[in-house]
Amino acid sequence: MAQFEKEFRYLCRQINSLSNGQAHASYDNIFNHSNSSARTSISSSSSESDEPTSSLGFHIEITPQDGPYAHGSYIFRIEASTDGDYPEYPPIVSCLTRIYHPNIDTTYQNYYNNVCVSTVNEWNDGTNSTLEDILQGLMFLFHSPNLDDPLTSNITSDEKEFLKYVRISIEGGLIEDFDQVDIFEMNYGYKRYLMEQEKQYIEEGEQLDDHLVNILTREPNYKELFNADTLEFLMNTTSITHSTRHNKETFTNS
């Protein structure tokens, strides 16, 4: 597995420039170091999947800065068998974060080998294919999801409706008939982004817009997420009175 480790070390050195600051990689399971708010939107344990135990892998977290999935964060596990067949055979790519995406199937709590990415499908025996190609393929999926060739039939083919559902899945809400767990909890990366935004607003003494307040206060435990100054600021914002409903009607109207 020397080639796998060599490519991983190279990827770690170059990943910031390769992803324009939108990704980072670690041998450690990023999930294990995520805070409690992150764990609500990530697979609870890889041991619950069919993941093989004889493998060498690492994790990549991608946080798109723009596009349909802007400011959401998603964790992937990239692994190769320790039997020594890398790079002859492509690595297995698994998304551990629940997502609404035509080419990533996390429906029904499927968190193993659930990503359809061209750089894996077109793997060239390691001759011209590397872990860097895997990263580029994943980045491409977030900016150009392929609705014409979906991995799961649960995704709408209507582009306008699709974009609406993507935002619901990130901001938290209900997507009818998606899978047996219809309500998406707010994506942990997006929650982190909002907390950074509200901190900046308060430091600059600016008024939060209604949409941001609505999202910030949508979580039932939102009072536990922010400091005293933030809560006072939010409580003095008039729109808070109509933004704290956390039920099916609110999700449907989001």
Side-chain angles (χ1 to χ4, degrees):
M1 301 303 289
Q3 181 67 24
F4 187 84
E5 294 180 0
K6 179 180 179 181
E7 289 183 18
F8 169 73
R9 289 194 294 269
Y10 174 81
L11 183 66
C12 287
R13 292 194 300 269
Q14 301 295 326
I15 195 168
N16 189 62
S17 59
L18 291 172
S19 67
N20 193 26
Q22 298 176 88
H24 71 276
S26 172
Y27 261 139
D28 294 330
N29 190 334
I30 301 171
F31 165 71
N32 291 336
H33 300 285
S34 302
N35 58 33
S36 58
S37 63
R39 300 185 185 196
T40 61
S41 58
I42 304 176
S43 168
S44 59
S45 173
S46 60
S47 63
E48 296 176 359
S49 71
D50 296 326
E51 179 180 346
T53 57
S54 179
S55 64
L56 177 67
F58 64 94
H59 295 79
I60 291 178
E61 181 182 49
I62 298 178
T63 304
Q65 297 172 351
D66 50 29
Y69 296 88
H71 310 303
S73 293
Y74 303 90
I75 294 175
F76 296 86
R77 177 169 170 80
I78 316 298
E79 63 184 289
S81 170
T82 54
D83 295 335
D85 55 5
Y86 182 90
E88 181 180 354
Y89 296 100
I92 295 170
V93 182
S94 305
C95 181
L96 307 184
T97 312
R98 194 171 182 228
I99 188 173
Y100 186 86
H101 195 293
N103 315 119
I104 304 173
D105 184 10
T106 59
T107 57
Y108 307 107
Q109 300 183 29
N110 172 36
Y111 296 105
Y112 175 67
N113 196 19
N114 58 357
V115 180
C116 181
V117 57
S118 61
T119 47
V120 170
N121 297 336
E122 300 169 6
W123 191 262
N124 188 20
D125 297 334
T127 305
N128 296 309
S129 301
T130 66
L131 296 179
E132 179 182 336
D133 297 318
I134 299 293
L135 171 66
Q136 298 295 355
L138 292 176
M139 296 293 299
F140 184 80
L141 283 184
F142 283 108
H143 292 89
S144 300
N146 186 359
L147 288 172
D148 296 327
D149 187 22
L151 184 61
T152 170
S153 61
N154 291 33
I155 303 294
T156 179
S157 59
D158 180 84
E159 184 174 359
K160 184 176 181 180
E161 191 175 53
F162 168 74
L163 293 175
K164 180 184 72 172
Y165 287 161
V166 168
R167 294 317 304 175
I168 290 176
S169 71
I170 294 173
E171 296 177 2
L174 177 70
I175 299 178
E176 295 283 359
D177 302 323
F178 180 63
D179 61 23
Q180 81 274 27
V181 186
D182 293 326
I183 295 176
F184 275 83
E185 297 185 27
M186 185 184 293
N187 178 276
Y188 77 97
Y190 188 64
K191 187 179 296 184
R192 180 175 59 203
Y193 165 76
L194 291 178
M195 294 172 70
E196 293 171 353
Q197 287 293 103
E198 57 84 18
K199 180 179 179 181
Q200 180 179 342
Y201 271 94
I202 291 174
E203 289 177 349
E204 297 177 357
E206 297 183 12
Q207 184 75 10
L208 293 175
D209 60 69
D210 285 350
H211 180 64
L212 184 55
V213 172
N214 178 63
I215 296 174
L216 285 171
T217 58
R218 184 180 294 170
E219 295 287 283
N221 64 333
Y222 76 91
K223 291 184 179 180
E224 301 174 9
L225 302 177
F226 308 108
N227 60 36
D229 291 338
T230 299
L231 288 174
E232 181 180 0
F233 189 88
L234 290 172
M235 295 303 290
N236 291 331
T237 305
T238 56
S239 60
I240 195 173
T241 58
H242 63 74
S243 64
T244 56
R245 295 191 302 274
H246 189 73
N247 52 36
K248 186 171 182 178
E249 178 182 355
T250 302
F251 293 142
T252 304
N253 293 333
S254 297

